[in-house]
Amino acid sequence: MAMILVLLFLYFIESVLLSSTQNEKDFFKEYDFFTEEQRIRLKEKAKEMFYFGYDNYMKYAFPLDELNPIYCKGRGPDLNNLDNININDVLGGYSLTLIDALDMLAIVGNQSEFKSAVKLVLSHVSFDQDNVVQVFEATIRVLGGLLSAHLLITDPDEPFGKLKPLDYDNDLLTLAHDLANRLLPAFDSTNTGVPWPRVNLKYGIPPSTSTMTCTAGAGTLLVEFGILSKLLDDPIYEQVARRALNSLWKQRSNETGLFGNVFDVQSGEWIGKMSGIGAGIDSFYEYLLKSYILFGEKGDLAKFNSVYKDVRKHLRKGRTSCNNGTGETPLHVNVHMLTGEIFNTWIDSLQAAFTGVQVLYGDIDEAICSHAVFYGIWQRYGALPERFNWKLRAPDVKFYPLRPEFSESTYLLYQATKHPFYLHVGAKIMESLETHAKAICGYATLHNVETKTLEDRMESFFLSETMKYLYLLFDFENPVNRRASDWLFSTEGHIFRIDEQYRASSWDKFVSKDSPPQSSARKIKNNTYSSVCEAYNDNIYSKLPMKDKYFDQIQRLVGLID
């Protein structure tokens, strides 16, 4: 059976993604050139798309959490159906879209609107509410948004201009501290140290809360909780997040080194034994690497090195080398965590984020390959279906909620290679969004990528991530791009400066919370961060024309996919 699935997989690669060829002349004509006029036009178009969603959220939805872009109404928690976790895991009655978009306002250079938005958050948002939220979503979207905006305001270099509102007294940090304290009960009473998946912001753990959590949800807390600990000079937040991560690490398979996707926080057992790089596990890998970059913990890098090797061994199917001229692109499949045998025959859209992790790790050849798989699917549907079945060569789950992962990987690959092909990909993404997802007052979820029918929801990550990556793809002069190795993106796309105060070796060496933030990324160019991420370091960009280095590989993949 396993051999049959492998053969089906290879057939999928050949017949679904690799459809037609084009000669070198056509490639040069279409993909190897991108005019300055095109770039500037698309930069302005990305900004226009962001403001179309943002302005309508502020007009029709604020202070509620999300905008319904078809009927132009706001959306908050579903208090009439508390079991509606699709809504209630994310929406907490805390103006989610505004908090999530704060740093995007800084990135597009709107200092006045940023200051106004901060004041609105401080005057309208309270976490003292009887709402149950998912710990993971509240951490990456809300806690991360507050911390990123606070750090931009207090950055003495003012990379995005003067963002500090009058009478600002670390107010966003205080709000973030309050939220984190309301999430802490999730960690207090489990046998494993892995947090309960949900918490009531006012009353703690609800009596009927499930003990099952996903690996990503429990293992993707360290960046935000760690930064908060450093800023407050209080180790508790980093400690609970690190304990959760280490507890999951101890339960990986002895046979394969892999992780399952669903974990019981009380028994310590794997309820779901599917291992992959997509939904349920994706950002767990990401934060192993990113927490090392931010905090300098060598154990985090060792963990990532180990799991990356195991992922390549057990999940990556196809030819040994991507750049071998065989007309066959490798793919990461879902496998059983104990045996490494193929678990099912679908990939999901969240897997597109793994390309960005590969870029950050410096594995550019593999990143080009993994990106090409999803570009082929996007070309077919003008979106990424939530699940695509490579056996049936068709979507299993047909909706696309405007997810950012493919835009993210496109942006990061352009940063690493400077190849104009990725500018063309970004242009296609924006064209698809405008054509298929634009609604009366925002951008709507595609209910079906084949029929292009819409659902009345614009999730907060569309503004905070999808449009951020597309805008930065074309804004070459942006501070984030001019000093790319100074900045790290969270899994929600929030930007954090890489700073020595986060990398101190012991608590008594941490910069005091009363000291002004220091911009120290420039001081660590020659340390381990640069060696881990050399392909992502802007010093590397200037050493060689990387678009020429990767031309042959991208040409072959594009010719096969288009």
Side-chain angles (χ1 to χ4, degrees), residues 275-295:
S275 189
I277 60 168
I281 309 181
D282 53 343
S283 51
F284 174 75
Y285 307 131
E286 176 187 353
Y287 268 30
L288 286 174
L289 182 57
K290 290 184 175 180
S291 62
Y292 166 70
I293 293 169
L294 277 179
F295 307 128

Side-chain angles (χ1 to χ4, degrees), residues 6 30 57 73 78 89 127 145 167 205 223 288 292 392-394 405 424 439 446 481 501 505 529 542 553:
V6 170
E30 184 174 357
Y57 164 77
K73 295 182 179 179
D78 187 355
D89 267 1
F127 299 120
D167 303 321
I205 306 304
V223 166
L288 286 174
Y292 166 70
L392 302 176
R393 307 190 304 282
E405 286 75 18
H424 286 282
L446 268 67
N481 291 328
Q501 70 168 319
S505 59
Y529 168 68
S542 64
Q553 186 174 1

Side-chain angles (χ1 to χ4, degrees), residues 290-489:
K290 290 184 175 180
S291 62
Y292 166 70
I293 293 169
L294 277 179
F295 307 128
E297 290 287 341
K298 293 182 179 179
D300 294 335
L301 178 60
K303 288 182 176 68
F304 182 83
N305 285 335
S306 176
V307 76
Y308 191 73
K309 180 181 68 176
D310 293 329
V311 164
R312 280 188 59 106
K313 179 179 179 180
H314 296 290
L315 276 64
R316 185 186 181 280
K317 305 298 182 182
R319 296 293 183 181
T320 302
S321 171
C322 174
N323 190 15
N324 59 12
T326 61
E328 191 176 281
T329 302
L331 187 75
H332 290 85
V333 301
N334 299 315
V335 304
H336 195 289
M337 65 172 291
L338 300 179
T339 66
E341 295 180 354
I342 294 177
F343 196 90
N344 53 44
T345 58
W346 49 259
I347 57 176
D348 64 67
S349 63
L350 287 170
Q351 287 182 294
F354 198 68
T355 295
V357 177
Q358 291 174 316
V359 171
L360 198 61
Y361 194 50
D363 196 353
I364 306 301
D365 287 335
E366 286 292 306
I368 290 170
C369 281
S370 58
H371 178 272
V373 171
F374 291 96
Y375 179 56
I377 299 173
W378 188 283
Q379 284 284 74
R380 170 173 286 197
Y381 299 106
L384 289 185
E386 194 74 347
R387 290 182 183 176
F388 185 88
N389 191 306
W390 49 262
K391 177 182 177 182
L392 302 176
R393 307 190 304 282
D396 268 352
V397 180
K398 298 183 180 182
F399 73 87
Y400 168 63
L402 311 179
R403 290 199 187 277
E405 286 75 18
F406 184 57
S407 299
E408 174 187 9
S409 63
T410 301
Y411 163 71
L412 292 174
L413 264 174
Y414 180 75
Q415 289 298 98
T417 67
K418 299 302 182 185
H419 199 293
F421 164 65
Y422 296 106
L423 300 178
H424 286 282
V425 174
K428 289 180 183 293
I429 295 172
M430 289 172 57
E431 180 184 8
S432 297
L433 292 171
E434 277 288 281
T435 302
H436 305 309
K438 192 171 186 179
I440 296 173
C441 57
Y443 293 86
T445 292
L446 268 67
H447 177 73
N448 186 316
V449 298
E450 293 176 327
T451 65
K452 305 301 187 294
T453 52
L454 299 179
E455 291 183 17
D456 196 16
R457 185 176 188 184
M458 185 178 80
E459 293 217 38
S460 69
F461 52 63
F462 176 72
L463 298 182
S464 72
E465 293 187 84
T466 306
M467 291 316 307
K468 180 181 292 170
Y469 289 121
L470 290 170
Y471 176 76
L472 286 173
L473 177 64
F474 297 105
D475 185 10
F476 291 179
E477 301 83 14
N478 197 279
V480 174
N481 291 328
R482 283 192 282 108
R483 301 200 62 89
S485 61
D486 282 9
W487 301 95
L488 191 74
F489 293 90

Side-chain angles (χ1 to χ4, degrees), residues 47-62 67 97-102 104-105 108 110 112-118 120-121 441-443 458 462-463 467:
K47 184 186 293 188
E48 174 189 313
M49 291 172 67
F50 165 74
Y51 279 125
F52 182 68
Y54 175 81
D55 290 344
N56 280 302
Y57 164 77
M58 296 303 297
K59 180 178 181 179
Y60 296 110
F62 177 82
L67 170 69
T97 295
L98 183 60
I99 291 176
D100 219 1
L102 285 175
M104 179 59 175
L105 291 170
V108 299
N110 195 334
S112 60
E113 183 62 25
F114 176 89
K115 294 176 184 178
S116 175
V118 169
L120 287 173
V121 168
C441 57
Y443 293 86
M458 185 178 80
F462 176 72
L463 298 182
M467 291 316 307

Side-chain angles (χ1 to χ4, degrees), residues 501-514:
Q501 70 168 319
Y502 307 143
R503 301 172 65 86
S505 59
S506 62
W507 279 97
D508 60 356
K509 296 181 180 178
F510 286 163
V511 175
S512 168
K513 63 184 178 181
D514 298 322

